[in-house]
Amino acid sequence: MTAVQTSAEQSGVTTGQDQYPAGAQVVVRDEEWLVRSSMPTDDDGTRIEVVGVSEFVRDQEAVFFSGLDRIELLDPRETTLVMDDSPNYRRSRLFLEAVLRRTALPQSERRLALADSFLMDPLPYQRRPAELALSGANLRPRLLIADVVGLGKTLEIGLTLAELIRRGRGERILVVTPQHVLEQFQHELWTRFAIPLVRLDSVGIERIQREIPAGRNPFTSFKRVIVSIDTLKNTDQYRHHLEQIRWDAVVIDESHNLINRGSLRNQLARTLAPRTDALILASATPHNGDAKSFAELIGLLDPVAIRDPENYRAADIEHLFIRRTKISPEVREQMKGQWADRGPSHSVHCPATPAEEKIFEELAAVWLPGDGGTSVSSVPLFPYTLLKSFLSSHAALRATVSARIKTLEKKDDPQGTAAELAALYRLSELAADLTESDSAKLAALVRQLREEIGVGPASDERVVVFSERVQTLEWLAEVLPAALGFKGRAARDCVRIMHGGLSDEQQMACVEEFGLADTPVRVLVTGDVASEGVNLHRQCHQLVHYDVPWSLIRIEQRNGRIDRYGQARPPEFRALILTSEVEGAKDDTVVAERLLEREDQAHRSLGTAEAVTGLYRAEAEEKSLIQDLLRGRTVDESLDARRSGADDQDAGLDDFLADFFGPVGEEAPPAEPTEPGGSAPAASPGTESSGSRAAASPVLPRLFDSTAHFLDDALREVYPDARERLDLDRDQQSGLLSFRPPTELVHRLKALPMDYLREQRLRERMLVTFNRRLAEHSLQRARESSTSSWPEISLLTDLHPVVEWLTDKVLVGMGRQEAPMITANVAEPIYLVQGVYSNKLGRPTVVKWMGVTWLEAAPRRPGEGLVDDDMVSLLRRCGVGPTMANKRRYCDPVPLRKDLPDVLSTAEAFLNTHRDAWDEPLREPIEQYKRRLGTWHQPTLAGELTKERLADLADSLLTTGRPLLRVLAVLVPDPDRKDGDDGPPLVSLTAPAASPSRF
């Protein structure tokens, strides 16, 4: 008996952990399946996701558990060798390429594999989060992406997820976002990265509950899901479902909302964090100014990263955190010509009308008196609430006054509130008399929109108008159409309103309509619900602050809706500044105008305004500013006092925060080494490496020089009559492929966004291309459509369902445990063998593609073989390619099959000899982590995690057991070719020039 594993040995290694690497073929219930992913469970052995290979279950997806079913890994010694009669050995070459594509990249591969294949600009700064996540600096891919507003965090997340998928670590993905950006996020990940996410908004949840049995976990029905954080946090039912799921990757957008311990969002995050391998948090404002709160956020990523949550530095977590601004050197240099420079913020002064001056007089005399006067209100902050309502609109003032009157009238102390009630009644009377013609800001807004910006019935110009108050938004939406000259149906369609009181579907519809060029909407009036995460820059570069938030952070967040990556025109900002002649009046020049100036200064000098006050939360900034105003400070005195730390009890806090909000992560990482134990994996000529530096060699091993050539040959092989069966049409000039998807592909398309499937009628016809320019044009054309933002043409990438479908069709084209024999330019038979080491989680740690010879007559010791561990290079030297001739000279497989045990024994000996060297880059970070874990003295860790479980997790990432071996093909000599014949020399692993390893 040789050392090679039998099927039983391969499915039960010495650790007791079952191993079923992605790409392996198994037999379950007498049917053959292809392993997609595997994950250990606590009770039922290994959970294995598979797709059917044999005829009866072909293309059917299933999940098996090794503790419940007999799952047989095929014994490589039982491989059947078959001849390939296809032209140019096309079937064999396709099969080998398909195995290369379906085999997950090992943990040891740190470089990016797919960065150049997506619809995104080649900006190295956007690749660096993915590089950091995969660098091995952290035990698992867990990262906080804290780039400031507009740099492209969604693209950075998409690229990171794509790389995880290629490594077999992204089968089950959960993305959690605010409800108003669900569709936007889903749209970006599909159109740019071909990553489909099923959107579970309120409608989606209802649909799934109708389709699945009662009580069934909806998250088991789909592998990749995007859901609103508000949907999850408000329902105990979903929380229970989430506790039953293990994810490969979880993304939580706007993650600064997770900080408050005890909140529903925080509880949700603590539920998810220990139940996922990869965790990506994203926030442009990740800090609330409290070191302990930020430590809790980092603790979701790595519970032992911070020893003392009240005393740590940026260097302690640099492996978990990356942050750049628009003026960061790498961003500024790479963005040249790709992001229009921001224009100035214009203050539009609006002299108060006589009716408005009466209100200023009342506020100054009764509510906000100067010179040490006493306010009529017993609540110190309420007069400023009144003032801000009035500075917004008379409609907002009426609502605030009415609400306060109702509150005071319910109190049991009428005498104590009599003075304030009387003052409120007077304000109510004054506000009731105000009409549209009494609003100086409305008149100025209409002038700005019509005369300065050019909004009107005959113009396509668009603008977004922000206000903090819902009453102001509703009033503006009502009066603006007629004021701008719109009539009839156009008056109903030209303005859209968006605020937090709308459903998630209504909010998403507003954003989508505003982003489509052909829709009639011209003005979006919105509250600050749109100030986080929403892209409004596609068709708009004009923004108006109808009222100005008393927070630098909120101003910057608003401006960031149109001042962001991809903005083609210089963003322009205007703010309506209500001014008064009343002595002591606190008009917009007192606070709003000065805040606008300070935000603009900070943005240009620092790249962000978040650190100016040192508070890092919009609500905290506003509250602090109002308290300082009550103390008699000016806006500048308040901002400068906060930044200088004059009011901080912790003298070290300012320096601590400077670490995090300085240039964190601005330095590019050092050049990465080649693959452990040898040269980096080979790939096809002409493939560009990822990142800002040139790698020693491409990451992906490939036989075909492009995915396009692979797909062309795969179609010819699988569907030789594709023109008739698929109604295939190909435009040679543009590269557009149009075809009718067969049933098995339609089945796979169920994972695509439902709106996309329905609107583009993909079940009837698909339009795909490898032409990046054509795909980009289709995406741009969709944005200019009035019907759908989904492009009709999608870019084919390695992750696209069409490419994955054809890859699997090629794989199942070979019979169960068959390997082709290829007549090649070799002197002796060379067996092509795949060797894969895995960890306890079933993920590959080392993948080797080998050429192995075994000849008893060779001049070496009995039982000795030779190994070349660069299969792709070997195949090229042997002349295996699209121009090789297939003479259909059949070789007797019996003698070749007899040597399989010795060939496999040689391959395993080679792998075992180098295993320790290949494991070293994986082992060292794990050992460092365990040493740090050993000094940890905190009584509790995040979620369910304990020190023991974290230690077990670290150990589970190490290589375990024996390698999984698979015979892929055999290169056999041409019987008509002799050594003295013309042509290139025969390739032989016994020749000194080949320098193979001897075993």
Side-chain angles (χ1 to χ4, degrees):
M1 177 69 68
T2 64
V4 69
Q5 291 170 279
T6 65
S7 59
E9 290 170 329
Q10 290 193 39
S11 62
V13 296
T14 55
T15 62
Q17 173 61 52
D18 293 342
Q19 292 182 315
Y20 304 94
Q25 289 182 294
V26 295
V27 177
V28 188
R29 302 177 189 179
D30 202 34
E31 298 293 341
E32 190 173 351
W33 308 83
L34 186 71
V35 176
R36 288 285 183 76
S37 66
S38 64
M39 180 179 294
T41 67
D42 293 333
D43 303 316
D44 298 321
T46 301
R47 181 186 189 275
I48 305 169
E49 294 190 8
V50 296
V51 61
V53 171
S54 51
E55 188 64 33
F56 185 68
V57 295
R58 183 159 295 174
D59 292 309
Q60 297 297 310
E61 296 177 345
V63 175
F64 296 114
F65 293 86
S66 63
L68 305 178
D69 274 292
R70 184 172 183 271
I71 300 174
E72 180 184 359
L73 270 167
L74 300 180
D75 186 347
R77 293 174 301 180
E78 301 301 321
T79 302
T80 300
L81 303 180
V82 298
M83 289 302 299
D84 178 2
D85 60 359
S86 63
N88 309 110
Y89 290 100
R90 182 177 64 203
R91 188 178 309 132
S92 298
R93 292 185 295 107
L94 285 168
F95 172 70
L96 292 171
E97 176 78 4
V99 175
L100 289 169
R101 287 173 173 272
R102 271 306 188 191
T103 301
L105 291 177
Q107 281 187 162
S108 54
E109 181 52 77
R110 306 300 191 189
R111 297 169 299 166
L112 302 191
L114 303 174
D116 297 307
S117 60
F118 302 117
L119 276 187
M120 60 184 296
D121 295 323
L123 298 174
Y125 89 83
Q126 290 184 342
R127 300 177 181 184
R128 287 223 287 115
E131 291 173 335
L132 179 58
L134 300 172
S135 67
N138 187 19
L139 197 62
R140 295 178 288 169
R142 298 168 84 88
L143 180 67
L144 169 59
I145 303 176
D147 287 344
V148 300
V149 173
L151 263 64
K153 287 187 289 297
T154 303
L155 296 177
E156 295 168 351
I157 291 169
L159 182 57
T160 304
L161 291 177
E163 292 290 339
L164 290 174
I165 291 170
R166 185 60 184 86
R167 285 159 172 77
R169 305 178 73 170
E171 283 298 303
R172 298 195 58 81
I173 296 173
L174 174 67
V175 177
V176 184
T177 74
Q179 60 186 12
H180 53 279
V181 297
L182 277 177
E183 182 166 323
Q184 175 182 294
F185 207 107
Q186 180 194 36
H187 186 276
E188 288 287 282
L189 260 65
W190 168 252
T191 58
R192 296 194 178 277
F193 300 97
I195 300 176
L197 300 174
V198 175
R199 191 173 78 228
L200 296 186
D201 52 17
S202 55
V203 175
I205 289 283
E206 291 176 7
R207 176 175 55 81
I208 289 177
Q209 289 177 329
R210 290 194 301 266
E211 294 176 356
I212 65 178
R216 174 83 175 270
N217 190 334
F219 298 106
T220 62
S221 300
F222 300 97
K223 295 190 301 182
R224 295 169 184 167
V225 172
I226 183 168
V227 64
S228 161
I229 192 169
D230 299 296
T231 297
L232 292 183
K233 74 179 178 63
N234 292 326
T235 310
D236 291 338
Q237 173 188 358
Y238 298 134
R239 184 171 167 184
H240 169 72
H241 288 320
L242 289 173
E243 290 173 348
Q244 310 306 314
I245 298 289
R246 295 281 173 177
W247 302 93
D248 288 321
V250 169
V251 176
I252 304 179
D253 195 19
E254 305 298 343
S255 56
H256 53 272
N257 295 315
L258 309 177
I259 286 179
N260 297 325
R261 179 178 283 272
S263 69
L264 293 174
R265 287 184 173 90
N266 182 269
Q267 292 173 22
L268 171 64
R270 292 171 69 83
T271 297
L272 291 172
R275 292 174 172 83
T276 180
D277 178 42
L279 178 60
I280 304 172
L281 306 179
S283 173
T285 55
H287 210 299
N288 67 353
D290 178 70
K292 191 173 182 180
S293 295
F294 189 64
E296 285 187 20
L297 189 64
I298 295 299
L300 295 173
L301 300 170
D302 181 358
V304 300
I306 296 174
R307 187 185 302 271
D308 181 355
E310 295 182 351
N311 183 23
Y312 58 97
R313 310 298 297 179
D316 298 334
I317 61 168
E318 60 186 0
H319 59 298
L320 298 165
F321 179 64
I322 189 167
R323 175 180 177 81
R324 285 79 54 87
T325 74
K326 189 177 178 180
I327 67 169
S328 297
E330 66 167 338
V331 177
R332 186 175 60 246
E333 181 65 27
Q334 295 165 27
M335 274 294 187
K336 287 181 178 178
Q338 308 216 35
W339 186 350
D341 288 338
R342 165 176 164 167
S345 294
H346 300 287
S347 294
V348 180
H349 282 214
C350 313
T353 63
E356 289 172 327
E357 290 286 38
K358 291 181 180 179
I359 300 220
F360 271 123
E361 289 172 356
E362 182 73 10
L363 291 173
V366 178
W367 297 91
L368 292 163
D371 298 328
T374 302
S375 172
V376 71
S377 177
S378 59
V379 179
L381 299 183
F382 178 69
Y384 280 98
T385 302
L386 270 181
L387 174 64
K388 290 195 67 187
S389 296
F390 171 57
L391 293 175
S392 180
S393 71
H394 62 277
L397 176 62
R398 288 171 187 162
T400 300
V401 169
S402 176
R404 181 64 175 166
I405 288 174
K406 289 178 181 178
T407 298
L408 293 182
E409 287 179 340
K410 292 178 182 178
K411 288 195 171 183
D412 296 330
D413 183 19
Q415 186 173 359
T417 60
E420 185 173 353
L421 273 171
L424 287 168
Y425 292 142
R426 285 196 302 273
L427 264 183
S428 180
E429 292 173 1
L430 290 172
D433 292 337
L434 290 175
T435 64
E436 293 172 21
S437 61
D438 293 316
S439 174
K441 290 174 72 171
L442 176 62
L445 175 64
V446 172
R447 278 197 309 273
Q448 289 294 313
L449 294 181
R450 297 189 69 166
E451 299 172 14
E452 299 297 328
I453 299 176
V455 177
S459 169
D460 293 331
E461 196 67 46
R462 299 191 178 194
V463 64
V464 55
V465 178
F466 271 99
S467 172
E468 290 187 305
R469 307 300 171 122
V470 172
Q471 298 81 13
T472 303
L473 297 173
E474 293 173 339
W475 171 62
L476 288 175
E478 178 182 349
V479 301
L480 275 179
L484 294 173
F486 290 93
K487 299 178 181 179
R489 182 173 180 177
R492 295 195 302 271
D493 297 337
C494 69
V495 176
R496 288 290 178 271
I497 182 174
M498 180 175 168
H499 54 73
L502 302 180
S503 70
D504 49 2
E505 284 233 313
Q506 290 171 319
Q507 292 183 35
M508 287 187 292
C510 287
V511 174
E512 181 176 18
E513 272 195 278
F514 192 70
L516 296 175
D518 282 354
T519 57
V521 61
R522 293 294 174 264
V523 180
L524 175 66
V525 290
T526 179
D528 286 317
V529 67
S531 68
E532 292 187 357
V534 177
N535 294 336
L536 300 177
H537 67 294
R538 301 296 184 192
Q539 311 297 335
C540 174
H541 70 292
Q542 302 279 0
L543 184 147
V544 176
H545 299 279
Y546 193 80
D547 52 46
V548 178
W550 287 11
S551 159
L552 297 176
I553 289 174
R554 189 70 75 203
I555 295 171
E556 181 174 70
Q557 287 174 335
R558 284 184 178 185
N559 290 348
R561 296 314 98 211
I562 65 168
D563 180 21
R564 57 196 305 106
Y565 169 67
Q567 175 60 268
R569 295 177 290 178
E572 295 185 19
F573 310 101
R574 291 172 173 80
L576 304 181
I577 303 298
L578 187 62
T579 64
S580 173
E581 297 294 332
V582 173
E583 185 177 353
K586 290 181 172 55
D587 61 11
D588 275 324
T589 63
V590 174
V591 176
E593 188 168 36
R594 190 62 195 129
L595 286 175
L596 288 168
E597 293 170 356
R598 290 294 295 265
E599 187 275 339
D600 189 64
Q601 292 170 5
H603 182 85
R604 297 179 189 284
S605 60
L606 303 174
T608 177
E610 294 159 1
V612 170
T613 64
L615 293 171
Y616 304 98
R617 279 292 174 272
E619 298 79 6
E621 281 190 335
E622 179 173 336
K623 183 177 179 180
S624 174
L625 176 58
I626 292 175
Q627 289 173 337
D628 281 346
L629 292 173
L630 287 170
R631 298 186 186 111
R633 288 177 174 173
T634 66
V635 168
D636 287 311
E637 289 170 342
S638 174
L639 297 181
D640 295 338
R642 291 297 310 172
R643 195 69 201 112
S644 67
D647 294 333
D648 291 339
Q649 294 180 358
D650 182 359
L653 183 63
D654 191 60
D655 290 339
F656 164 77
L657 295 178
D659 274 354
F660 291 92
F661 288 84
V664 177
E666 283 193 355
E667 293 184 7
E672 297 170 12
T674 58
E675 186 183 359
S679 62
S684 58
T687 304
E688 294 180 3
S689 62
S690 63
S692 57
R693 56 199 177 276
S697 66
V699 177
L700 294 174
R702 291 283 171 83
L703 301 184
F704 286 71
D705 59 5
S706 70
T707 301
H709 289 161
F710 169 71
L711 183 137
D712 285 345
D713 272 9
L715 276 174
R716 292 188 186 97
E717 180 65 26
V718 177
Y719 290 100
D721 53 352
R723 188 173 295 275
E724 290 74 30
R725 286 186 62 188
L726 304 181
D727 191 20
L728 176 67
D729 182 57
R730 184 193 306 267
D731 186 325
Q732 297 293 346
Q733 184 172 2
S734 68
L736 177 66
L737 286 174
S738 171
F739 67 98
R740 182 180 61 250
T743 304
E744 63 265 28
L745 178 55
V746 170
H747 178 73
R748 294 181 180 224
L749 298 182
K750 68 178 183 179
L752 270 59
M754 291 300 297
D755 291 347
Y756 175 58
L757 279 172
R758 182 181 63 254
E759 293 170 10
Q760 298 301 331
R761 304 173 68 178
L762 296 185
R763 297 181 182 92
E764 302 171 24
R765 194 154 201 86
M766 295 193 73
L767 300 177
V768 295
T769 186
F770 286 102
N771 185 329
R772 189 188 305 266
R773 184 174 298 178
L774 178 61
E776 187 70 57
H777 179 69
S778 179
L779 181 58
Q780 181 61 35
R781 192 167 61 244
R783 295 194 184 109
E784 297 171 356
S785 164
S786 59
T787 56
S788 174
S789 62
W790 296 102
E792 61 177 353
I793 302 171
S794 61
L795 181 69
L796 288 169
T797 71
D798 287 0
L799 304 184
H800 197 284
V802 169
V803 177
E804 291 189 335
W805 160 68
L806 273 174
T807 302
D808 289 345
K809 294 288 284 185
V810 166
L811 284 174
V812 302
M814 284 287 172
R816 180 183 297 185
Q817 237 179 332
E818 289 183 347
M821 295 182 291
I822 305 170
T823 302
N825 187 45
V826 294
E828 72 268 346
I830 299 178
Y831 296 77
L832 305 183
V833 180
Q834 178 195 45
V836 179
Y837 281 111
S838 298
N839 58 28
K840 289 183 179 181
L841 302 178
R843 299 191 179 110
T845 55
V846 177
V847 177
K848 284 296 173 181
W849 309 92
M850 299 170 283
V852 183
T853 61
W854 178 265
L855 288 176
E856 292 290 356
R860 51 184 187 269
R861 296 188 302 273
E864 187 180 44
L866 294 170
V867 176
D868 185 327
D869 67 345
D870 188 348
M871 183 184 79
V872 174
S873 176
L874 173 65
L875 285 168
R876 291 204 176 93
R877 299 201 312 272
C878 295
V880 176
T883 61
M884 69 185 302
N886 187 351
K887 300 177 182 179
R888 294 179 173 84
R889 293 293 299 266
Y890 295 98
C891 179
D892 182 4
V894 175
L896 296 171
R897 196 162 184 259
K898 177 178 67 70
D899 287 338
L900 281 177
D902 289 319
V903 166
L904 292 165
S905 179
T906 298
E908 185 169 12
F910 169 79
L911 294 173
N912 289 336
T913 299
H914 295 286
R915 170 176 165 170
D916 285 345
W918 292 331
D919 254 359
E920 185 60 32
L922 301 176
R923 189 164 47 245
E924 181 57 28
I926 292 172
E927 292 304 319
Q928 289 180 2
Y929 185 85
K930 290 175 68 176
R931 286 194 293 270
R932 187 160 35 120
L933 189 60
T935 64
W936 186 257
H937 301 299
Q938 293 293 107
T940 59
L941 298 173
E944 339 174 300
L945 295 179
T946 62
K947 286 178 62 172
E948 292 73 21
R949 292 197 65 175
L950 285 172
D952 290 343
L953 173 63
D955 287 336
S956 72
L957 302 178
L958 286 168
T959 299
T960 184
R962 296 167 64 183
L964 174 73
L965 299 175
R966 182 180 182 184
V967 179
L968 304 178
V970 183
L971 306 180
V972 298
D974 184 347
D976 295 334
R977 175 78 191 274
K978 307 299 181 184
D979 280 338
D981 293 347
D982 293 337
L986 297 175
V987 175
S988 173
L989 298 191
T990 64
S995 301
S997 299
R998 185 180 296 270
F999 290 90

